[in-house]
Amino acid sequence: MSRILTVAAAQLGPIQKAEGRDIVVARMIALMDEAKAKGAELIVYPELALTTFFPRWHHEDRAEADHWFETAMPNPAVQPLFDRAREHGMGMSFGYAELTPEGRHFNTSILVDREGTIVGKYRKIHLPGHVEFDPERAHQHLEKRYFEPGDLGFPVWRMMGGLMGMMICNDRRWPESYRVMGLQGVEMVVLGFNTPSVNSQKAGEGMAQRLFHHRLSVQAGAYQNATWVVAVAKAGDEDGHHCMGGTLIVNPDGEIVAELVGEADGVIVHACDLDDTRFGKETIFDFKRHRRIEHYGPITAQVGVIEPE
Amino acid sequence: MSRILTVAAAQLGPIQKAEGRDIVVARMIALMDEAKAKGAELIVYPELALTTFFPRWHHEDRAEADHWFETAMPNPAVQPLFDRAREHGMGMSFGYAELTPEGRHFNTSILVDREGTIVGKYRKIHLPGHVEFDPERAHQHLEKRYFEPGDLGFPVWRMMGGLMGMMICNDRRWPESYRVMGLQGVEMVVLGFNTPSVNSQKAGEGMAQRLFHHRLSVQAGAYQNATWVVAVAKAGDEDGHHCMGGTLIVNPDGEIVAELVGEADGVIVHACDLDDTRFGKETIFDFKRHRRIEHYGPITAQVGVIEPE
């Protein structure tokens, strides 16, 4: 048996603060055309794909950051991307900053089917960083200032013949993210990220170590839930702040089957057999036979650490 | 700040079915002497350290396997090991098959302090394998036949200046195992394993891939909970059944700091700074600030997969 879904991981190089959405959308369309030419049916772009990674900029008045947010999706700036996807008959996923009619702010991603319908929305749950300006850090990472944590859980959707889930950036370091989707039978997780190349609180933690942590988390999540994972970076130097690359596609054995080299716009394409998830899900990670929830209580009963007496 | 605990991972080569506990205990004592000479304060041995990996042998009458079990700990066969540890002032951990006075069977490990007192007991929770003889498999893996799942949870104990936890073999593939201990502030997880070199249900999955899955699971668990992990193999050919090695020590960044080459008895020693767990626990994996348990519900509410409509 095989159920092939050919997916493109579409990395974006840097987006400068001064660059408008029109420039970015044109780049995304060029990547989509390239992906289509390479046989892709689904294209995945990074977190906050339409703008620079703005949470590095501190505004005393938060409303000054609102211009980075989308108040509707699609909207006129992004419509050409939706149009091209529909023309190609391709599914897609990308991240953007969402400002709701009620004035709520989320770090969001969507799943769009071949007909251009938004079938899934995810709002980032594990927001890294901090709320207030932190003079101790090498650079600011104000996601906790500009966004509230996602309120939609970790849903899984049927799309293009498979069970699809989304997460965003820091979510990938948390095994809970994969597991909640694994418990819904997820077969492909798509995720975008913007990860600074240096730890803002530990200068010695540079790009090699951060790429290692990235791969480790994604590969373990894939293996332990027997799912494909498509992880897509925004990379390179944005106004003097460098983001690592590390765009890759991981199979349900946790192995990297494709990885993009470099920090520019680029596409890697892989024919993913969704039936490759079956063996893991039916043997070593057959949850029904092996999980022992009576011993997992603290995972949902407590947030932080409670040390023994 | 630093809190050094120098630990020895003491791999055992194969133990044949015909070999008695006296032979194994003598080998364990030799490894202990070597570890002491190399400065170790704590020594960790594999799962089911005292015998061959007997769950590969099918007995129609389960009671015929009872001779592989210990009905008391310590007992006369193991007493020389306890005596030598106390003489050296060393802590230790090893696995054995436990038969309780009530007739219950567990795959167990213990944590013994410098004075020879058993301060912690763990009973393996994630039992792999199957209950009945399976003619489809290349070899039998009857842990679910000979043991019941552990009933003691994943406790963490204060010992030798640190917060210590245990898991056994297949537990290491389950992120829940590490997380329950991480939520108790664990600083060092010790674990033993006996892992066949070939997947009994997939001939193409050989030693390289199985070592990869092993390292991936252990490294991710260490990183995502900012803890040391000491993983110790029983390796080599036991009566024609080959177990992989892969004895290693992983730091709280998920990096392998020591790895034993080969499949014979051997020791690797590393000075582990328990304060190296602080940075991870206080920043990216500061659970109190970042975990969102309101979205983790399925992890403890359901055992198996529930696919969306």
Side-chain angles (χ1 to χ4, degrees), chain A residues 126 144 150 158 173 176 179 183 209 213 223 253 255 290-291 295-296 299-300 302 306-308, chain B residues 126 144 150 158 173 176 179 183 209 213 223 253 255 290-291 295-296 299-300 302 306-307:
Chain A
H126 297 99
K144 284 194 197 289
R158 288 189 192 279
R173 304 184 197 274
E176 291 90 346
R179 187 61 104 222
L183 284 163
Q209 197 172 20
H213 287 155
Y223 167 60
D253 262 319
E255 298 160 334
H290 301 308
R291 294 182 78 244
H295 298 301
Y296 303 161
I299 293 172
T300 50
Q302 70 189 67
I306 301 175
E307 292 186 357
Chain B
H126 297 98
K144 285 196 197 287
R158 288 190 192 278
R173 304 184 196 274
E176 291 90 344
R179 187 61 104 225
L183 284 163
Q209 197 173 20
H213 287 154
Y223 168 59
D253 262 319
E255 298 159 334
H290 301 308
R291 293 182 79 244
H295 298 301
Y296 303 160
I299 294 172
T300 51
Q302 71 188 69
I306 302 173
E307 292 186 356

Side-chain angles (χ1 to χ4, degrees), chain B residues 225-298:
Chain B
N225 295 278
T227 182
W228 291 91
V229 181
V230 180
V232 186
K234 177 133 67 64
D237 189 323
E238 293 190 335
D239 295 290
H241 295 83
H242 193 267
C243 284
M244 66 180 211
T247 294
L248 44 82
I249 300 173
V250 177
N251 74 17
D253 262 319
E255 298 159 334
I256 296 171
V257 296
E259 186 159 13
L260 201 146
V261 177
E263 298 169 359
D265 288 8
V267 157
I268 46 173
V269 174
H270 189 81
C272 303
D273 187 345
L274 300 179
D275 279 334
D276 285 349
T277 64
R278 291 299 102 198
F279 182 77
K281 288 183 193 295
E282 290 167 7
T283 62
I284 196 162
F285 296 116
D286 180 349
F287 294 162
K288 185 87 183 160
R289 274 196 297 145
H290 301 308
R291 293 182 79 244
R292 306 296 319 186
I293 60 173
E294 67 274 29
H295 298 301
Y296 303 160

Side-chain angles (χ1 to χ4, degrees), chain A residues 32-51:
Chain A
M32 186 179 279
D33 291 346
E34 182 183 342
K36 177 70 183 177
K38 291 179 171 165
E41 303 164 273
L42 172 68
I43 185 166
V44 183
Y45 299 98
E47 173 191 32
L48 298 175
L50 305 174
T51 65

Side-chain angles (χ1 to χ4, degrees), chain B residues 100-138:
Chain B
T100 74
E102 300 76 29
R104 300 178 68 186
H105 300 76
F106 296 101
N107 188 341
T108 295
S109 64
I110 50 172
L111 204 52
V112 183
D113 71 12
R114 292 180 193 271
E115 287 74 42
T117 306
I118 296 173
V119 299
K121 177 185 280 192
Y122 170 72
R123 290 168 170 164
K124 185 173 181 177
I125 285 172
H126 297 98
L127 296 172
H130 48 113
V131 176
E132 301 300 337
F133 187 85
D134 181 355
E136 308 266 300
R137 290 181 187 245

Side-chain angles (χ1 to χ4, degrees), chain B residues 178-245:
Chain B
Y178 304 90
R179 187 61 104 225
V180 173
M181 291 192 259
L183 284 163
Q184 299 168 76
V186 74
E187 295 172 325
M188 181 179 285
V189 174
V190 300
L191 77 96
F193 60 98
N194 286 246
T195 301
S197 302
V198 176
N199 188 322
S200 66
Q201 297 173 284
K202 190 184 191 181
E205 186 185 306
M207 195 148 87
Q209 197 173 20
R210 288 167 79 76
L211 282 167
F212 162 68
H213 287 154
H214 157 64
R215 292 189 190 102
L216 178 63
S217 297
V218 169
Q219 292 180 264
Y223 168 59
Q224 292 172 340
N225 295 278
T227 182
W228 291 91
V229 181
V230 180
V232 186
K234 177 133 67 64
D237 189 323
E238 293 190 335
D239 295 290
H241 295 83
H242 193 267
C243 284
M244 66 180 211

Side-chain angles (χ1 to χ4, degrees), chain B residues 11-26:
Chain B
Q11 175 171 296
L12 286 169
I15 300 170
Q16 307 311 323
K17 204 174 171 182
E19 290 179 299
R21 289 165 176 76
D22 54 334
I23 295 174
V24 182
V25 167

